[in-house]
Amino acid sequence: MNKQKLPFSLLIVPLLLLPSCGGKKTEVSEQPSEAPSGAQPTPIDQSTVAAITGKVVFQGVKPKLARIMMDQDPVCVQKHSGAVYPEDGEMNSNGTLPNVFVYVKEGAEKYTFSAPTDPVVLDQNGCVYKPHVLGIQVGQDLHIISSDPTTHNIHPMPKNNREWNESQGPGAAPLEKKFARSEIMIPVKCNQHPWMRAYVGVTKNPFFSVTGSDGTFTIKGLPPGDYTIEAWTATYGTQEQKVTVGSKETKTLDFTFKPS
Amino acid sequence: MALAIAVVVALITVISVAIVVLKVWWMPLDISTHGPAIDHQMNLTLIFTGIIFILAQLGLAWFVWKYRDRGDGRKAIYSHGHGMLEATWTAMAAVLFIGLNLMGYRMWAEMYFRGAPPDALRVQVLGQQFAWYFRYPGPDGQFGPTHVEKVNDASGNFYGIDRERDPGSKDDIVTATLAVPVNRPVELVLLAKDVTHDFYVRELRIQQDMVPGMQIPVHFTATKTGRFEIACNQLCGLGHYKMRAFLEVMSEEDFQKWLQNMAAQQ
Amino acid sequence: MAELHAEAVHRHEAPKGFIWKYVFSLDHKVIGKQYYFLALLAVVVGMVLSWLIRVRMVWPSARIPGLDKLSPVGAPGGVMTPEYYLSLLTLHGTLMIFFVLTTAPQSGFGNYFLPLQIGAEDMAFPRLNMLSFWTTFVGLAVLLSTFFVTDGPPISGWTAYPPLSAVGSAAGPGEGLGQDLWVISIAIFCIGALLGALNFIATTLDLRTRGMKLMRMPLTCWAWFVTAVLGLLSFAVLFGACVLLLLDRVGGTSFFTPGGLIVSDKIIPHTGGSPLLWQHLFWFFGHPEVYIAILPGMGITSHILSCFSRKPIFGYKVMAASLMTIGFLSFTVWGHHMFVSGMSPYSGFTFSIFTMAIGVPSAIKTFNWLGTLWGGKLRFTSAMLFSIGFVSLFVTGGLSGIFLAQPAVDSYLHATYFVVGHFHMVMGVAAIFGMFAGTYFWFPKILKPLIPVHEFMTISALITGAAQFIFLFNLFWSMFKGEKASTNPWEATSLEWTVPSPPPFDNFGGKHPVVYHGAYEYGVPGAEKDYIMQDSPVKITAS
């Protein structure tokens, strides 16, 4: 009766092989990356580079922001001594705006840049993203760390890059991510603490800056030429200005936003 | 073998019954006016099914032991069944099961067919991945309309209300904790922003799905003050297990103070 | 015996060549075994997933070596993430419900033994039969492939409630390609199940041998027949639901997705659908499915209890009628899964009455099993032990359903571990016991050897279920090395025990057996032996 016994083992072989077959079938083909793979970075004469600096002013009364309610997760509440307010729409005491992403929108296409080797770090601390707005180059490492003894999930919601959504428990290893294509701006959310929001600006060049508590920005290392500079805000829209910089020049460029 | 299986079945029976009788795992505190009726029905069901459970399991164990083949040449009883006996237990099962159900019907009607009294406190409950937000109508007693395009979690507008345009929304109060006064009827209107959630407070003996596109009312009166967990009980995504908020039952006086405090923070 | 001689004997030869004999076989016996081993693969995977689920629950930060190789995103460094837990949960449920509980008891045992028990040469449509197996196989392959998608398997549970399952990857990891593949897999499975159901119904109604009246069929055949009818009606609906869900996901329709949804800050462009529609369609399949899983187990238990009690089944007609009643009522109770869903509370009441009503035929079955044991002469074979276990588990599982059938009590217990316990007791454990019983009972017929009774193994399987691997070892060991069994080692009466073990390709050697009795003539007073085979022309005088 060997004939009868044979089929069983042979039936099982394809079944065991099945996962590997299935794997090939469903491989997701990523859209082509804009990361400069193999392409040589354009040499830039560092002795001629220019800079653009300026500040972002807000014209209007300080907007009223509702306190963030963190009642659902006591861990978040304990990390703060007082009330916490949203950073979107926030105004500095000197009448300027923080968290404005200022970058070269046009004019740098002819240069190719390799991604810096040092990573950009996004921290989750007190159930708030630090920093609120950050810039990163295509292909550069983004390290997401958590300083909170609670679980977060990191959920970037891009239009031009791959969407992902991963949990990060207390003490878990940093998530190491990259963005394959440029995109202004990718909102990042934690669904477990829905108020948490960060914005990531992904650019092909290193010419970007984020305003801080003094409302100023500085873009360095620009080769002389014509550029379009855009200032992006989460609440008050965007503005752009055209500028021409000469060799070793430092241009000043201010932006003024009004309540939307 | 007969002895082994009879003992196993009997042991399972005894242990299961002991767990229930000794209340090893029992229902949590009840803080609602409708809860005692549900608990009573639950106990009644436990008693009826418990009796059937014990009889059936021990009967099985006994038969297995008694009618084992002892190799003594005894012949099995040649019987194709017993019509009267079968009719009897069919009727008994039908009366018991249907009867039990009819007894529980009244509570169901009380909870769902009868609306909340007109003086009930009305609160909207919004579930979203993975948090709860509660909206009180404010002094005007009106909930203003919501606008999808106004929703912005990062700036705290979870409902998408427009305080400037809609007069009904001006004094609305949105909170992350559900506070209610004790001994006063409360009507919750359950809403979902993204996927299906489920409002579950064990101590209130209330569970109701929150379905996107629907407004589902539930009502209750809390009888004890304290802080109780509101858990999402419908799989809603990766943070489902963490989706919770707190129900705070407080005195009427404390409740008014709390509401004013919350209004100031809007 | 005159009828037999009048007929021409025409034998059918087994096909030649390995592929046609064992892979794309038209032989119901080979297909039955294929289904059985497909279920065995699925149950092993499903069981490993349930271990991982338990580990994640008890030791959330446990490091499982090698798991990061399989799921680099779901288990970074071998530590399972919360979303990976949900993926495991989803695939555990899907594998067990569809590819184990629907597949082994019905398509596995049923395919092999329905034709043998009713005296047929094969199933009514052998090609359809082969097609239904390979369709199911493709469904399983597609389901398992979700493990190799970047975001991993879906996280929406085996019930896949929209909008979570409908709005795409904004709703969570695994809700992109993983969920697409899940829906496709289930739709493919539905096709296989529908083809199988057609075949079972046609075979039972048309291919019974001379004298095999419906009311002489073994209760296993009744169970497979009713199950097939349930499958035909319910899988058709699930197939439709899966197509609609897939259209919502990729075709821009809005069957299950209402307007105004904001998922993770993203406004969803759907409008006008109803999440409850999916729940209605799903549970219209889902509740009959519960009976699809358990009815064959009931049939096998009835068959085995009678055989090893050495007495007729207690109340054969009522047993057959209760199978049909359960089958009919199973289509009227789906709403009891939806008491708290937001469905009209008035319909909640109706559904609860029907649900309680379905308890009545279930209770009848239990009492009649006890009646069968009563006054018997019990032989404690492995198959008998598992059947007794089935009765005990079914009592416990069934009674816990009485709580859940009452809407007011259910509003407290719904979606808690009480429910998980309830359906695992009935479908998870009782149905599996039915499969064990069937395996031990029929193994000697399928592949000559008897599975040796290891008392230790049986008891530990009864108590803990941890001895599954001893079972697997035992099964495969017996397959190749076991002792040979005779044609009728259990002294049973149904037709499969009249043919050699294993049965020849054309089952009855080209003859058509003639049936004179019901399937449960044990311990007949005045008879030569304590059992009378169904094809024995001996007259029974006692009643």
Side-chain angles (χ1 to χ4, degrees):
Chain A
M1 285 295 116
N2 282 328
K3 281 184 209 160
Q4 281 288 332
K5 287 171 189 167
L6 198 60
F8 288 95
S9 51
L10 286 155
L11 250 177
I12 281 163
V13 171
L15 290 176
L16 291 177
L17 290 174
L18 196 142
S20 53
C21 313
K24 275 177 206 142
K25 195 167 47 193
T26 56
E27 242 168 49
V28 189
S29 57
E30 282 276 343
Q31 291 160 350
S33 168
E34 290 173 356
S37 56
Q40 282 301 312
T42 319
I44 289 170
D45 183 0
Q46 290 300 323
S47 62
T48 62
V49 294
I52 297 172
T53 181
K55 66 175 188 287
V56 182
V57 182
F58 185 69
Q59 231 170 44
V61 284
K62 195 178 164 72
K64 186 179 186 297
L65 300 170
R67 187 178 70 88
I68 297 175
M69 295 171 291
M70 301 183 173
D71 311 20
Q72 53 156 317
D73 199 337
V75 169
C76 307
V77 180
Q78 280 156 19
K79 277 249 180 169
H80 300 276
S81 47
V84 186
Y85 292 92
E87 288 174 272
D88 277 5
E90 189 188 17
M91 188 181 104
N92 290 325
S93 50
N94 65 356
T96 57
L97 288 177
N99 295 315
V100 181
F101 187 71
V102 187
Y103 69 105
V104 172
K105 190 178 182 184
E106 284 160 28
E109 295 81 9
K110 51 186 175 287
Y111 308 102
T112 310
F113 299 91
S114 56
T117 46
D118 50 327
V120 176
V121 177
L122 177 63
D123 186 16
Q124 300 156 100
N125 194 346
C127 305
V128 174
Y129 287 116
K130 304 267 161 82
H132 183 55
V133 174
L134 59 95
I136 192 169
Q137 270 182 258
V138 168
Q140 190 179 3
D141 275 329
L142 174 66
H143 284 198
I144 300 160
I145 59 171
S146 174
S147 312
D148 289 335
T150 186
T151 303
H152 291 291
N153 72 295
I154 300 96
H155 186 183
M157 295 169 289
K159 292 194 167 66
N160 196 22
N161 284 280
R162 192 177 79 84
E163 181 171 359
W164 49 269
N165 188 355
E166 287 173 34
S167 293
Q168 189 176 37
L175 292 181
E176 294 178 18
K177 296 290 176 183
K178 283 184 172 98
F179 295 97
R181 283 173 297 281
S182 58
E183 183 167 353
I184 308 290
M185 305 281 290
I186 302 175
V188 180
K189 185 184 179 83
C190 170
N191 297 89
Q192 299 169 51
H193 309 99
W195 61 83
M196 287 176 72
R197 173 83 66 86
Y199 299 93
V200 181
V202 188
T203 59
K204 281 188 258 187
N205 57 55
F207 308 131
F208 56 80
S209 174
V210 180
T211 60
S213 55
D214 58 355
T216 63
F217 67 91
T218 308
I219 297 171
K220 286 184 200 150
L222 276 172
D226 297 331
Y227 296 102
T228 305
I229 311 292
E230 184 172 82
W232 172 97
T233 68
T235 316
Y236 307 111
T238 58
Q239 286 182 15
E240 54 179 61
Q241 293 187 35
K242 290 203 186 311
V243 65
T244 305
V245 287
S247 174
K248 291 190 196 170
E249 190 186 3
T250 298
K251 265 261 165 75
T252 305
L253 201 64
D254 290 344
F255 291 89
T256 304
F257 283 91
K258 290 182 179 139
S260 51
Chain B
M1 190 42 89
L3 186 62
I5 197 155
V7 167
V8 168
V9 171
L11 267 180
I12 290 174
T13 313
V14 170
I15 294 169
S16 315
V17 171
I19 287 170
V20 174
V21 172
L22 300 175
K23 301 193 174 182
V24 178
W25 296 301
W26 203 244
M27 291 176 279
L29 178 76
D30 164 51
I31 59 156
S32 69
T33 49
H34 65 268
I38 292 181
D39 290 8
H40 178 253
Q41 181 73 12
M42 178 101 168
N43 287 331
L44 210 62
T45 312
L46 259 179
I47 291 167
F48 281 129
T49 55
I51 292 169
I52 303 174
F53 175 74
I54 293 167
L55 288 181
Q57 299 286 15
L58 294 185
L60 179 68
W62 181 51
F63 282 3
V64 164
W65 168 242
K66 179 157 186 226
Y67 297 114
R68 70 193 189 278
D69 184 2
R70 297 173 213 226
D72 55 2
R74 176 181 62 87
K75 288 210 93 169
I77 298 169
Y78 182 68
S79 156
H80 281 98
H82 192 292
M84 262 319 280
L85 206 57
E86 288 171 64
T88 311
W89 63 50
T90 305
M92 274 169 52
V95 168
L96 181 69
F97 293 165
I98 306 289
L100 209 53
N101 198 327
L102 290 175
M103 288 168 77
Y105 172 55
R106 186 182 288 265
M107 290 172 305
W108 183 247
E110 199 71 36
M111 285 161 69
Y112 282 99
F113 298 168
R114 194 170 295 174
D119 64 331
L121 170 73
R122 286 169 67 223
V123 186
Q124 281 186 353
V125 180
L126 178 71
Q128 68 174 78
Q129 287 183 334
F130 301 98
W132 307 82
Y133 293 99
F134 308 95
R135 183 186 185 194
Y136 295 78
D140 66 351
Q142 298 288 316
F143 293 112
T146 57
H147 309 278
V148 173
E149 71 284 357
K150 282 273 172 194
V151 171
N152 186 339
D153 290 358
S155 62
N157 195 352
F158 302 101
Y159 276 84
I161 54 183
D162 190 337
R163 291 179 197 280
E164 273 142 44
R165 251 196 312 179
D166 305 320
S169 298
K170 208 168 208 93
D171 57 354
D172 286 1
I173 301 159
V174 177
T175 68
T177 292
L178 175 62
V180 299
V182 72
N183 294 327
R184 183 171 148 197
V186 178
E187 182 182 51
L188 304 178
V189 178
L190 306 180
L191 311 164
K193 190 188 216 164
D194 38 31
V195 302
T196 306
H197 300 281
D198 180 279
F199 180 88
Y200 188 32
V201 181
R202 295 171 304 160
E203 290 82 358
L204 276 183
R205 304 289 188 266
I206 280 184
Q207 171 162 213
Q208 176 62 57
D209 273 4
M210 311 166 71
V211 184
M214 291 176 79
Q215 303 200 354
I216 303 173
V218 292
H219 62 96
F220 64 91
T221 305
T223 55
K224 291 186 180 72
T225 57
R227 183 176 154 95
F228 310 96
E229 185 187 47
I230 302 169
C232 175
N233 206 20
Q234 176 65 54
L235 178 56
C236 60
L238 69 87
H240 165 59
Y241 71 107
K242 272 185 81 185
M243 179 168 168
R244 66 167 189 182
F246 292 95
L247 166 73
E248 301 224 28
V249 185
M250 35 180 94
S251 68
E252 183 71 42
E253 195 184 332
D254 286 349
F255 173 69
Q256 293 304 341
K257 261 190 240 159
W258 177 86
L259 205 56
Q260 275 168 20
N261 183 22
M262 284 294 141
Q265 294 181 19
Q266 299 297 308
Chain C
M1 299 297 274
E3 300 102 312
L4 267 188
H5 293 293
E7 252 181 281
V9 173
H10 51 101
R11 297 211 49 147
H12 294 273
E13 289 303 320
K16 297 278 181 290
F18 177 78
I19 298 270
W20 300 112
K21 211 162 167 183
Y22 300 119
V23 182
F24 296 110
S25 174
L26 301 178
D27 180 0
H28 70 102
K29 297 185 287 298
V30 175
I31 295 169
K33 285 185 282 189
Q34 287 174 326
Y35 267 118
Y36 184 87
F37 282 95
L38 178 126
L40 211 56
L41 172 83
V43 83
V44 169
V45 177
M47 190 169 59
V48 171
L49 298 186
S50 73
W51 294 343
L52 292 174
I53 289 171
R54 297 302 311 182
V55 168
R56 180 64 179 71
M57 271 164 76
V58 183
W59 303 287
S61 53
R63 197 170 291 278
I64 315 261
L67 196 59
D68 52 333
K69 298 278 186 303
L70 175 70
S71 304
V73 178
V79 181
M80 290 176 269
T81 59
E83 51 270 29
Y84 194 60
Y85 171 88
L86 297 177
S87 297
L88 297 172
L89 189 86
T90 304
L91 280 195
H92 167 76
T94 312
L95 278 170
M96 292 302 200
I97 298 274
F98 292 97
F99 293 95
V100 179
L101 293 171
T102 311
T103 301
Q106 174 78 0
S107 310
F109 289 129
N111 251 313
Y112 201 108
F113 289 104
L114 178 68
L116 279 170
Q117 286 195 331
I118 61 172
E121 267 174 30
D122 203 317
M123 295 292 272
F125 312 114
R127 277 184 183 75
L128 210 60
N129 205 12
M130 177 184 82
L131 187 62
S132 70
F133 169 75
W134 285 106
T135 311
T136 310
F137 180 87
V138 171
L140 180 64
V142 172
L143 185 71
L144 291 179
S145 71
T146 57
F147 266 115
F148 304 94
V149 172
T150 317
D151 277 346
I155 58 167
S156 61
W158 81 278
T159 56
Y161 277 12
L164 181 57
S165 63
V167 294
S169 52
E175 288 307 309
L177 187 58
Q179 185 75 54
D180 284 335
L181 289 171
W182 185 92
V183 181
I184 292 168
S185 160
I186 298 308
I188 294 173
F189 183 89
C190 290
I191 296 171
L194 284 170
L195 298 180
L198 278 173
N199 217 342
F200 271 72
I201 294 168
T203 306
T204 313
L205 292 181
D206 291 340
L207 293 191
R208 278 169 291 126
T209 192
R210 191 166 303 166
M212 180 60 85
K213 298 174 188 158
L214 281 174
M215 293 313 272
R216 279 182 184 167
M217 289 199 305
L219 285 168
T220 40
C221 298
W222 270 111
W224 290 320
F225 175 64
V226 175
T227 303
V229 176
L230 298 189
L232 186 72
L233 299 175
S234 65
F235 277 108
V237 173
L238 183 65
F239 178 75
C242 283
V243 171
L244 299 188
L245 184 56
L246 198 62
L247 283 174
D248 265 17
R249 293 182 55 79
V250 300
T253 59
S254 298
F255 291 103
F256 307 124
T257 327
L261 293 194
I262 301 168
V263 181
S264 240
D265 299 345
K266 185 170 142 194
I267 297 176
I268 301 294
H270 290 277
T271 177
S274 162
L276 287 191
L277 175 62
W278 168 266
Q279 295 186 27
H280 281 293
L281 294 175
F282 184 85
W283 290 116
F284 185 83
F285 144 80
H287 205 80
E289 164 62 27
V290 174
Y291 292 98
I292 288 172
I294 195 79
L295 288 184
M298 288 177 169
I300 290 169
T301 296
S302 306
H303 199 70
I304 291 173
L305 283 181
S306 171
C307 175
F308 294 120
S309 298
R310 311 311 296 169
K311 66 187 284 266
I313 190 82
F314 195 91
Y316 175 88
K317 278 183 195 156
V318 177
M319 286 302 248
S322 61
L323 282 172
M324 283 184 278
T325 315
I326 290 176
F328 175 75
L329 286 175
S330 73
F331 282 103
T332 62
V333 300
W334 80 87
H336 70 221
H337 296 270
M338 299 172 62
F339 286 147
V340 304
S341 70
M343 174 183 75
S344 160
Y346 294 96
S347 47
F349 177 66
T350 316
F351 281 120
S352 85
I353 286 285
F354 279 121
T355 306
M356 282 297 195
I358 212 169
V360 177
S362 308
I364 293 171
K365 297 207 85 74
T366 309
F367 287 129
N368 282 14
W369 287 325
L370 291 175
T372 304
L373 292 173
W374 165 76
K377 195 178 166 191
L378 311 190
R379 294 181 185 172
F380 294 103
T381 59
S382 302
M384 179 67 162
L385 292 176
F386 277 110
S387 299
I388 292 167
F390 179 96
V391 176
S392 173
L393 289 162
F394 184 71
V395 167
T396 313
L399 286 173
S400 56
I402 302 292
F403 294 81
L404 301 171
Q406 304 173 57
V409 177
D410 180 68
S411 70
Y412 176 62
L413 296 172
H414 183 85
T416 64
Y417 274 98
F418 191 96
V419 181
V420 177
H422 163 71
F423 72 75
H424 274 85
M425 191 68 85
V426 186
M427 301 208 305
V429 201
I432 295 275
F433 266 48
M435 287 183 230
F436 273 125
T439 303
Y440 280 94
F441 186 67
W442 280 314
F443 193 83
K445 179 58 62 187
I446 297 175
L447 281 160
K448 243 175 172 177
L450 285 162
I451 301 189
V453 183
H454 289 305
E455 293 195 2
F456 159 75
M457 177 245 149
T458 311
I459 291 169
S460 46
L462 278 171
I463 296 169
T464 65
Q468 317 297 331
F469 279 106
I470 307 181
F471 168 78
L472 283 181
F473 170 76
N474 201 354
L475 182 71
F476 286 104
W477 185 81
S478 308
M479 204 180 287
F480 297 108
K481 296 264 156 86
E483 272 175 62
K484 289 185 173 182
S486 62
T487 298
N488 188 3
W490 310 125
E491 303 183 308
T493 59
S494 41
L495 291 181
E496 77 267 33
W497 303 105
T498 64
V499 295
S501 314
F505 174 73
D506 56 358
N507 293 353
F508 296 95
K511 293 180 222 154
H512 292 284
V514 180
V515 169
Y516 297 92
H517 314 286
Y520 302 105
E521 292 303 335
Y522 294 99
V524 183
E528 194 183 332
K529 288 185 244 168
D530 88 325
Y531 64 103
I532 295 175
M533 301 294 288
Q534 283 195 279
D535 66 346
S536 158
V538 175
K539 279 229 157 35
I540 298 172
T541 45
S543 60

